[in-house]
Amino acid sequence: MNPLTSAVSYVRLQALRGAMRLAPQWFAKRLFAFAEEAAESITFPQGRIFARQMLRFGRQVLPTGCPRCRTKLLDNLMVNAITGKRQRIQYHHRTGLQPPYLLVISPTMRCNLRCIGCYASEYAKNDEMPFGLLDRILCEAKEMGIYFITISGGEPFFRKDLLDLLANHDDIYFQVYSNGTLIDAPMADRLAELGHVVPCISVEGFEAETDARRGEGTFERILSAMRNLKRRGVFFGFSATATRRNNDLVVSDAFVDFWRGQGCSFGWYFNYIPIGREPNLDLMPTPEQRLYRRRRLMNLRDRLPMLLMDFWNDGALVGGCMAGGRYYVHINVHGDVEPCVFAQFAVDNIREKSLHEVLDSPFFRRIRARQPYSDNYLKPCMIIDHPHVLREMVRKSGARPTYEGGDALLSQAADGLDEYARRWGELADTEWVAEGSAELENADRLRMAQ
């Protein structure tokens, strides 16, 4: 984007924002039109398609929110975080560092549940990041133009001062991963008042699957939380970790229809990753299951008024891996800055350095220079798709595991991950070629029709 185009875009955005209070419906209509223009600048074809789907979805879901939630979705998310990338571009020109789109921060590892297989159990539950450090990170993020923050844990809402912190930064759009069990009526009231905090509630399946992993009665508490949020017009979604045991269930029509019926506007899918002192590859979905999940989600996404995203299968939307500061990094409760939530290795600590310094570290620069790890974006991950890359990055940068025993991923799990990557690579390469051929055929049809 040249300077003149950038300046015109900035003026248009400020004019739209100024009109928001006077004519909110007109503002929303014009903002969506502006965002559609911006979506066309996305360099990845599937990313452009998905961006258009997101905007159609946004128009549908916007009227369901309370007034405050609608305003914050438009202003904080669409203007500040998405369309307002101008600030990040300027920061890049000024400093040489391209800021990521978002940060993931784990301000606490305390939790009221103990779920089977959760990596948070590796940490002491009394660990918490100081309020002042959290505040500093958010201030530095905004200076770079980062206005989308994901809060993870532990159970974030277990921390009593969390909402006070988020209220202090009401120009950021926050997504909070939560088990949902602490979202009672007063908590839902507060979230509606804030408007810029979107819970993403973890589910395993239906009652039997959820209670088996998270504890008896958890499923009913989740349903109660969703009722509280829906009644108050707070946007929320679900988060599902696909394992070898539940992979097919979590992409079934029954599963998605059920959670959509509870009021979920979106769903995030995560592939189980074998981390911890004793990585268990047997819980990972097989390569065949992973391919099935991808195909199912593409089908569901095309026909349902719901936003569905898969952290491992949607590399084609963003051109491969997002980690290492290309799109985001993870700051854990101790302040260690990791490439992603699941690549739990670090060189720097945010307590000792600025956000700029840790993002510009040799460790992250080396990762970004290596991306994408393959021309096939269906193989985006350096943990399970290219495990040799993770081993190389850690070795060359001298990165340390951020918890005791974390290097088991590089040693005792190495052979199993290499074999998984080989098997998935064969399936993914076939799928990538087939989809490319289909896209060319569709383009030819369009040219002939014209």
Side-chain angles (χ1 to χ4, degrees), residues 343-396:
Q344 297 176 340
F345 298 88
V347 171
D348 293 315
N349 191 290
I350 197 69
R351 296 170 186 255
E352 303 158 357
K353 296 185 177 182
S354 69
L355 182 59
H356 177 101
E357 288 175 306
V358 298
L359 289 172
D360 201 34
S361 71
F363 183 34
F364 291 153
R365 287 203 308 269
R366 185 172 281 120
I367 291 174
R368 293 193 293 269
R370 194 75 160 74
Q371 293 165 337
Y373 314 124
S374 168
D375 292 336
N376 181 347
Y377 296 151
L378 301 184
K379 302 186 294 184
C381 181
M382 67 175 171
I383 305 174
I384 63 173
D385 299 332
H386 307 279
H388 65 285
V389 172
L390 177 61
R391 296 193 290 266
E392 174 190 333
M393 295 297 104
V394 170
R395 183 182 69 254
K396 288 185 175 180

Side-chain angles (χ1 to χ4, degrees), residues 45 109 124 161 164 204 264 302 352 434 443:
M109 295 311 293
D161 61 357
D164 293 333
E204 305 295 331
C264 290
D302 285 342
E352 303 158 357

Side-chain angles (χ1 to χ4, degrees), residues 57 112 162 202 270 292 295 304 337 405 411:
F57 158 80
N112 57 323
L162 177 67
S202 300
F270 295 87
Y292 174 80
R295 290 173 173 174
L304 289 180
V337 188
S411 53

Side-chain angles (χ1 to χ4, degrees), residues 424-445:
W424 169 249
E426 292 175 353
L427 293 177
D429 287 344
T430 300
E431 190 81 354
W432 187 248
V433 170
E435 287 189 6
S437 298
E439 286 182 7
L440 287 174
E441 289 177 7
N442 289 334
D444 286 341
R445 290 194 194 100

Side-chain angles (χ1 to χ4, degrees), residues 26-211:
W26 179 88
F27 169 80
K29 183 178 179 180
R30 294 303 304 155
L31 184 58
F32 276 111
F34 184 85
E36 284 178 348
E37 292 178 21
E40 296 306 311
S41 67
I42 295 174
T43 57
F44 309 107
Q46 291 192 32
R48 286 196 297 274
I49 294 170
F50 185 65
R52 290 194 291 265
Q53 289 175 327
M54 286 180 64
L55 291 168
R56 287 197 298 271
F57 158 80
R59 286 193 180 94
Q60 293 169 334
V61 76
L62 189 64
T64 68
C66 67
R68 179 70 171 174
C69 292
R70 293 198 301 269
T71 297
K72 285 300 180 180
L73 185 144
L74 292 171
D75 202 15
N76 289 21
L77 181 60
M78 292 190 66
V79 175
N80 287 351
I82 297 177
T83 316
K85 68 177 182 180
R86 174 179 174 274
Q87 187 177 344
R88 296 192 294 278
I89 293 172
Q90 287 183 333
Y91 190 89
H92 180 210
H93 290 163
R94 188 169 68 252
T95 69
L97 172 69
Q98 176 65 60
Y101 172 66
L102 65 98
L103 301 176
V104 179
I105 306 173
S106 295
T108 182
M109 295 311 293
R110 291 192 298 161
C111 187
N112 57 323
L113 301 180
R114 188 173 180 84
C115 303
I116 298 170
C118 177
Y119 73 83
S121 65
E122 300 292 342
Y123 294 82
K125 297 305 184 201
N126 60 351
D127 285 330
E128 282 198 345
M129 189 181 292
F131 186 98
L133 177 59
L134 283 165
D135 186 68
R136 181 195 29 114
I137 294 170
L138 296 179
C139 289
E140 291 182 12
K142 288 189 289 187
E143 289 175 3
M144 294 182 175
I146 303 171
Y147 288 93
F148 188 91
I149 303 290
T150 292
I151 302 295
S152 188
E155 169 49 46
F157 291 127
F158 201 75
R159 181 163 176 159
K160 301 302 182 184
D161 61 357
L162 177 67
L163 293 184
D164 293 333
L165 173 74
L166 305 191
N168 290 345
H169 297 274
D170 69 348
D171 50 352
I172 294 176
Y173 207 69
F174 291 96
Q175 176 182 245
V176 180
Y177 283 101
S178 170
N179 62 41
T181 60
L182 300 179
I183 304 178
D184 53 14
M187 171 75 76
D189 286 336
R190 183 80 190 281
L191 292 172
E193 292 171 2
L194 292 173
H196 67 310
V197 182
V198 180
C200 189
I201 298 175
S202 300
V203 298
E204 305 295 331
F206 297 110
E207 185 169 18
E209 296 82 12
T210 299
D211 285 1

